Amino acid sequence: MSWLDSIGLWWRGLGRRDLARVEAVPVGKPADGLTQLPYGPMGANDRDYSDMQSQYTDALDAWRKNPQARRIIDITTDHVLGDGFRPVASGQLGRFLDQFWRHRQNHMDMRLPAIVDELSRAGDVFIAMFRNAADGMSYVRPIPKSQIVKIEVADNDWETEVAYHERRGPGEEPKVWLSPMHPDAGAADAVMCHYAINRPVGALWGEGDLATITPWLLRYSRMLEDRVRLNWAARVFYWFVRVPKAAVAATRAKYANNPPSPGAIIVHDDSEEWDMRTPNLSASDAANDLQAIRMMIAVGAGQPPHWHGDSMDVNLATATAMERAAVRHLKRRQQQVADMVIDLCHIAYSRAQAVGAARRIPNRDAITISLPDLSRDDNVMLAQAGGELAAAFNGLTAAVGSGSRSLKERALRLFFQFIAEPIDDKDIDGILDELDEAREAMQAITPAPDADNGDEEETEESEPDDALSAVGRIWRNGNGA
């Protein structure tokens, strides 16, 4: 090849480089090649979206791999649901709720624990409700928090959520779900409901129960893994043989290629001293460190340590006292879940009524749930209190049977105050009026004594005590009258 041909090849190659030239487009400019997801609007106190989703992913991963994280969520769900939730109502509303709850597409008794798990784990639960156009029945389908990229709110009220954007496949536009609060929700085949816990003021998104303790769960897991790796060293030991200086080389050569086997009997003279040594793992120090981390996890979970299998050498009285704060927290969570269930039932019935599948006007207040007991010990205490209350009612009945109305009002007010059930003046007046009406009715149906009886018998003069109430007689006798 001549030098002229080489120059021609070089020139043609340079032209090809010019054709293959690439210019970088700044991020955020048109044609930058990046898909922008519609994050926001976020609340004033919401986390950054990427941090929030990372937190959710970490909590889900911890729930799958860490037994403590799984147990924390399970304890919450077990206490909140107890023996089960069942919304009830009267009439047509009650029949619809029973069908909605037991429908084969819902199976709410089986589905509700998973929903409560997700609510505790993620801090948010998004529930899509698909309406069957034939019978108006709604089908419940939870959607993971990681799939929701945007929450739309009303222009004049940021707490009124009107739509949600769900992430789709690469290059696809997000799917928009209407909230039941949206003006066009009645005509939509499906709507989405959003429920959140641990939500600060000014935030649209909630935070899961594992958010604050996930770092400590990871630290505890790493420390345990380190201790497991170190424990193999506990089975490793060394023989230290002390011999005179002149015999060191010979003794080393003797045992270099023929070390003593386990269980071997070694016979030596007074010139050798054998000493076995093992690594010092500092187990006592590690135990204190591990217990401190477990305490951080228990505090963050709001549950006493003995619920997680850590007895801490406490007695029954201390353990019972430690449970009080946890029970109060679980009681509040139970009320939140009950409100969520009632809201779902109300929305399902309202959407059925909107297509003519139900006639009765929706009434959210007509739906009730009997919350299960958080502790079986409460039943014993309630039974004892019921017995004492029945005895107190007998005394109260005698006190308000007759006598001064002011004294009756005072007795009623004090009685209900002592049983921690305050009562207002309107209710007191109503109780006393009903007692007066019942007394007058009894007097009207009581037969009068026979005045035509020929054998008139002298009757003892009625005691003036009959005009006094039971409280009045007690007061008089006590004052020596």
Side-chain angles (χ1 to χ4, degrees):
M1 180 183 297
S2 64
W3 64 275
L4 292 176
D5 295 333
S6 300
I7 293 176
L9 291 174
W10 177 82
W11 183 260
R12 287 194 295 271
L14 182 63
R16 292 190 187 97
R17 291 192 189 96
D18 182 68
L19 292 175
R21 185 175 57 190
V22 176
E23 293 183 359
V25 178
V27 176
K29 299 293 183 180
D32 60 357
L34 301 177
T35 302
Q36 299 292 329
L37 294 178
Y39 300 152
M42 305 291 287
N45 287 332
D46 274 316
R47 290 175 179 263
D48 181 74
Y49 184 84
S50 59
D51 293 341
M52 179 178 61
Q53 293 297 344
S54 176
Q55 182 185 85
Y56 170 67
T57 303
D58 292 343
L60 182 61
D61 188 62
W63 179 82
R64 286 172 171 166
K65 299 179 180 179
N66 192 294
Q68 282 186 301
R70 174 71 68 91
R71 187 57 184 154
I72 290 171
I73 299 299
D74 288 347
I75 287 175
T76 301
T77 302
D78 293 343
H79 279 77
V80 168
L81 296 182
D83 297 330
F85 271 26
R86 179 59 65 89
V88 295
S90 60
Q92 184 184 18
L93 176 58
R95 292 189 295 271
F96 175 86
L97 294 183
D98 188 62
Q99 296 174 3
F100 167 75
W101 199 260
R102 298 189 301 174
H103 197 279
R104 61 185 181 87
Q105 292 290 347
N106 289 328
H107 288 299
M108 293 302 294
D109 285 330
M110 304 297 295
R111 189 184 298 273
L112 190 57
I115 294 177
V116 177
D117 281 353
E118 179 68 10
L119 183 64
S120 302
R121 187 172 50 239
D124 299 271
V125 61
F126 296 87
I127 300 177
M129 302 186 69
F130 297 86
R131 181 175 57 193
N132 188 336
D135 58 1
M137 183 58 63
S138 293
Y139 306 142
V140 174
R141 296 294 182 269
I143 295 179
K145 178 180 180 178
S146 57
Q147 295 300 109
I148 306 301
V149 297
K150 179 181 178 181
I151 299 177
E152 289 188 18
V153 298
D155 295 335
N156 58 349
D157 184 8
W158 65 269
E159 289 190 357
T160 302
E161 301 173 2
V162 296
Y164 310 95
H165 292 228
E166 180 188 3
R167 187 198 314 271
R168 309 298 287 178
E172 298 183 12
E173 292 293 327
K175 177 180 176 60
V176 179
W177 297 83
L178 298 184
S179 164
M181 303 299 295
H182 195 281
D184 301 330
D189 294 333
V191 295
M192 177 175 285
C193 306
H194 172 218
Y195 305 96
I197 60 172
N198 303 328
R199 179 165 53 183
V201 174
L204 298 178
W205 303 77
E207 296 185 5
D209 292 340
L210 302 179
T212 59
I213 61 176
T214 301
W216 294 100
L217 289 170
L218 295 175
R219 294 185 182 103
Y220 189 74
S221 297
R222 294 191 189 103
M223 288 190 66
L224 284 181
E225 291 174 0
D226 293 341
R227 300 304 302 180
V228 171
R229 293 190 184 98
L230 288 175
N231 278 336
W232 73 270
R235 300 188 300 271
V236 178
F237 59 90
Y238 291 93
W239 286 109
F240 286 76
V241 182
R242 178 178 297 181
V243 296
K245 184 175 182 181
V248 170
T251 306
R252 181 182 294 114
K254 177 181 178 181
Y255 296 110
N257 298 323
N258 189 24
S261 60
I265 300 175
I266 303 174
V267 180
H268 59 85
D269 55 18
D270 294 341
S271 63
E272 292 184 4
E273 294 183 5
W274 288 67
D275 183 23
M276 183 183 69
R277 297 184 182 181
T278 58
N280 183 11
L281 302 182
S282 300
S284 59
D285 296 339
N288 295 330
D289 296 339
L290 291 173
Q291 184 177 6
I293 297 179
R294 289 197 302 270
M295 287 296 298
M296 286 293 296
I297 295 173
V299 170
Q303 299 171 0
H306 62 271
W307 283 10
H308 304 159
D310 188 3
S311 62
M312 295 180 57
D313 298 330
V314 298
N315 54 28
L316 179 60
T318 304
T320 303
M322 294 171 65
E323 292 179 359
R324 293 174 182 171
V327 170
R328 285 183 177 271
H329 174 73
L330 292 172
K331 182 66 175 179
R332 183 176 61 182
R333 179 63 54 81
Q334 191 179 61
Q335 293 173 348
Q336 292 173 331
V337 174
D339 184 76
M340 176 188 70
V341 171
I342 292 175
D343 192 62
L344 287 174
C345 295
H346 173 67
I347 293 172
Y349 182 81
S350 298
R351 291 178 58 77
Q353 196 265 349
V355 295
R359 297 187 303 273
R360 181 178 174 180
I361 299 177
N363 182 11
R364 192 180 190 277
D365 296 334
I367 305 174
T368 59
I369 294 179
S370 180
L371 299 180
D373 295 331
L374 289 174
S375 175
R376 300 298 184 186
D377 296 337
D378 294 342
N379 295 332
V380 178
M381 298 177 62
L382 290 175
Q384 294 175 352
E388 296 175 358
L389 191 61
F393 264 118
N394 292 332
L396 180 65
T397 303
V400 299
S402 60
S404 170
R405 185 179 180 89
S406 299
L407 183 59
K408 297 175 186 178
E409 293 178 357
R410 184 81 174 184
L412 283 173
R413 186 175 292 105
L414 290 176
F415 176 81
F416 285 100
Q417 180 180 350
F418 290 157
I419 65 174
E421 294 291 340
I423 186 172
D424 56 17
D425 295 338
K426 181 179 179 181
D427 293 334
I428 292 177
D429 292 337
I431 293 174
L432 295 179
D433 291 341
E434 292 174 359
L435 289 174
D436 293 340
E437 293 175 0
R439 187 179 301 107
E440 293 175 358
M442 290 296 297
Q443 292 176 355
I445 63 176
T446 302
D450 191 0
D452 298 334
N453 189 0
D455 299 333
E456 295 184 358
E457 298 181 357
E458 294 185 358
T459 59
E460 296 182 359
E461 184 179 357
S462 60
E463 294 289 338
D465 290 351
D466 294 341
L468 295 176
S469 66
V471 174
R473 292 195 298 270
I474 294 174
W475 178 86
R476 192 196 66 175
N477 296 334
N479 285 272

